[in-house]
Amino acid sequence: MENTTVELEIDADHCFEIGEVIVPGDTHFEMTIKGDTEQQANDQMTKMEVLANSISDHCQIKKTVNDHGGSVTIDAMFDFDCTAEKLIFELYLR
């Protein structure tokens, strides 16, 4: 049997290094939740907290409620234990 080597040229427009997507140490995720009422925004925030805590046993969550006179926003910051947990959380939100 004869060994042959063939050169391949690959043209890929949408390629990138995995390090460009998953950055080690990137554990923070920030989001803004909007609601017509504070109760509506809090209900949505509770769902996000439950999801985060189902992914990570030690997720630190900080939130700030902002009243805009007719609507309410909650600025939330989730700090996961590792980058993989943050990525899983983001994937669940899609």
Side-chain angles (χ1 to χ4, degrees), residues 1 3 6-7 11 14 22 25 27 33-34 37-38 41-43 45 54 57 61 63 68 75-76 78 82 85 89:
M1 191 180 334
N3 273 341
V6 177
E7 283 190 40
D11 185 20
H14 303 292
I22 302 173
T27 61
I33 298 171
K34 297 178 183 178
T37 65
E38 187 171 349
N42 279 327
D43 290 348
M45 182 63 194
S54 73
D57 291 334
I61 302 169
K63 60 185 176 182
H68 300 285
D75 295 321
F78 299 80
C82 64
E85 290 175 348
F89 183 75

Side-chain angles (χ1 to χ4, degrees), residues 16 18 45 50 58 60 63 65 67:
F16 44 85
I18 194 68
M45 182 63 194
V50 168
H58 303 102
Q60 302 280 326
K63 60 185 176 182
V65 179
D67 188 351

